[in-house]
Amino acid sequence: MNVIFTDTKELEKRGRKFCRYADDCNIYVCSQKAGERVMLSIKKFLEKKLRLKINEAKSKVARAEECVFLGYSMSASVETEEAKLYPIAKFLIKLGVAPRNAWNTAKSGKGWWRLSSCPALRQAMNNAWFEKLGLVSLRKKKLMLTI
């Protein structure tokens, strides 16, 4: 709905999930039928009680995945836990970590920064690995500068 809309108390009172920025507002419901019902009641509320005009060309009932709001859209893709962990485990196995250790590390749920102190990552991504990538050791650089 593209309206001048400052009174969100009505949406909160009705228990609606919504996202609002300036004069744009998206309201989220569970089904198409609920969307149509909410659209009618919100239109009625905005036009009768707040005396606001709704831009019909920009207003619609649609699935969240089909809408773009402030340049963002939602995705309905659901990845399995194993699909998310596979790239981490595969990477560690490729670098020589035992498969069991690689999978245990991947399943920890930690991000790369927190994983950096794990034995599996220290084994796989040691100083030689970073040098092979062309990255400079700050420790070595400091030693060179202090001599």
Side-chain angles (χ1 to χ4, degrees):
M1 294 180 189
N2 196 8
V3 294
I4 300 171
F5 190 53
T6 56
D7 189 6
T8 57
K9 288 182 178 81
E10 185 67 22
L11 290 172
E12 292 165 0
K13 186 174 83 177
R14 295 178 184 204
R16 299 286 171 226
K17 306 280 187 233
F18 65 96
C19 184
R20 181 184 159 263
Y21 182 79
D23 65 343
D24 293 325
C25 183
N26 280 1
I27 302 169
Y28 301 98
V29 294
C30 296
S31 68
Q32 180 76 20
K33 189 176 180 180
E36 290 165 3
R37 187 181 67 247
V38 168
M39 176 71 102
L40 285 174
S41 69
I42 292 296
K43 268 186 190 179
K44 192 169 116 181
F45 171 75
L46 293 172
E47 291 175 346
K48 301 282 190 241
K49 192 162 183 177
L50 298 180
R51 295 185 182 157
L52 296 172
K53 178 117 174 86
I54 295 176
N55 185 337
E56 295 292 335
K58 290 185 176 182
S59 299
K60 64 182 173 183
V61 175
R63 299 184 61 78
E65 302 88 44
E66 298 168 3
C67 297
V68 176
F69 185 61
L70 303 173
Y72 293 93
S73 61
M74 293 190 192
S75 171
S77 67
V78 178
E79 278 189 280
T80 63
E81 189 65 26
E82 193 169 306
K84 286 189 251 178
L85 302 177
Y86 182 72
I88 296 171
K90 184 179 172 186
F91 175 74
L92 293 173
I93 292 167
K94 182 180 161 190
L95 292 177
V97 176
R100 183 179 179 148
N101 290 344
W103 277 103
N104 285 340
T105 302
K107 286 192 280 185
S108 73
K110 297 176 183 174
W112 284 105
W113 184 257
R114 289 198 56 209
L115 284 175
S116 65
S117 63
C118 293
L121 254 74
R122 280 187 280 151
Q123 175 193 342
M125 301 166 71
N126 56 24
N127 287 340
W129 182 79
F130 286 106
E131 286 174 11
K132 200 162 108 177
L133 290 176
L135 298 172
V136 179
S137 167
L138 294 177
R139 185 174 176 206
K140 285 183 182 177
K141 196 72 156 171
K142 182 185 175 198
L143 289 173
M144 287 173 43
L145 292 172
T146 57
I147 294 177

